[in-house]
Amino acid sequence: LLAMDAVRSEMAIPMVIGRKLVGVIDLQSIEPNAFSADDRALMVLLASRIASFIQNARLYRRVQRQMRMLRTLKKISVELSSILAVDELLKKIADRLRRLVNYDAISVLLVDEDKQLLRHRFSIRYDKRVEIDNIPMLSGLTGAAVRSGRPVRVNDTSADPRYIASHEDI
């Protein structure tokens, strides 16, 4: 890296596809006036090409990831459709999901319409099977998911008033 006080010239070139910024190429030199108009024109041309290469690589990676996920889902679907015992099925689901999503805890809660509860059916916390309390249907983050019918993602539960700590979190 160049020492910040040694930089005498800098040229920053945005990498853009259409109207979408992909990134920036930043050139620095200890020489004053190091970059010419020709350098600028060349870098603008290269930046657009590089942006295109980066976008293609990202698209390819996304398609590869989606294909892996679809193959995994198909395999899981075939495997799980033969399991008839609910507890065994939920354990197997938790194991298979861990291959797709990195988690420390997972719980499955089933709807009890009569009592307006989410009944605990299955939980693993830090690789150990645990029992947790049932949750009132519309309480907490799970309740927010029930109300909206959509996934709820929270990056910091300590900052979300809907979060209900389990006994193990306290």
Side-chain angles (χ1 to χ4, degrees):
L1 288 174
L2 299 173
M4 292 311 285
D5 58 358
V7 174
R8 299 289 184 257
S9 299
E10 184 171 358
M11 182 168 46
I13 307 94
M15 295 183 289
V16 179
I17 295 178
R19 292 184 176 167
K20 182 178 182 190
L21 178 68
V22 174
V24 177
I25 299 173
D26 185 61
L27 303 177
Q28 299 176 6
S29 174
I30 59 172
E31 300 295 323
N33 302 311
F35 307 113
S36 68
D38 288 342
D39 293 333
R40 179 187 179 281
L42 175 63
M43 289 307 301
V44 167
L45 179 64
L46 287 173
S48 70
R49 297 287 192 274
I50 293 167
S52 181
F53 299 149
I54 290 170
Q55 191 69 8
N56 287 342
R58 286 177 174 169
L59 289 171
Y60 178 77
R61 191 172 62 232
R62 188 178 312 139
V63 167
Q64 291 298 319
R65 200 171 35 243
Q66 287 174 339
M67 290 301 295
R68 261 194 323 272
M69 186 175 64
L70 289 173
R71 281 193 299 270
T72 302
L73 289 174
K74 180 181 179 213
K75 183 178 175 184
I76 289 171
S77 178
V78 168
E79 181 180 354
L80 296 180
S81 65
S82 65
I83 300 173
L84 301 177
V86 174
D87 287 338
E88 181 185 345
L89 176 64
L90 295 174
K91 170 73 171 115
K92 189 70 86 171
I93 288 170
D95 291 342
R96 296 306 176 256
L97 282 176
R98 165 101 13 99
R99 294 180 186 176
L100 299 173
V101 179
N102 184 26
Y103 65 80
D104 295 314
I106 185 171
S107 294
V108 176
L109 301 130
L110 302 178
V111 172
D112 181 335
E113 287 284 348
D114 294 336
K115 296 192 177 174
Q116 290 293 291
L117 285 176
L118 294 172
R119 284 207 180 276
H120 171 260
R121 184 59 195 250
F122 177 87
S123 290
I124 294 178
R125 303 278 162 119
Y126 304 103
D127 297 325
K128 291 184 182 174
R129 185 86 186 258
V130 296
E131 292 295 319
I132 64 168
D133 295 334
N134 296 329
I135 300 171
M137 183 101 72
L138 301 179
S139 295
L141 296 169
T142 53
V146 168
R147 275 191 305 281
S148 68
R150 303 173 92 163
V152 172
R153 187 181 77 172
V154 174
N155 290 323
D156 181 1
T157 57
S158 69
D160 193 309
R162 300 172 297 180
Y163 177 69
I164 301 171
S166 72
H167 293 127
E168 294 169 14
D169 295 334
I170 298 173

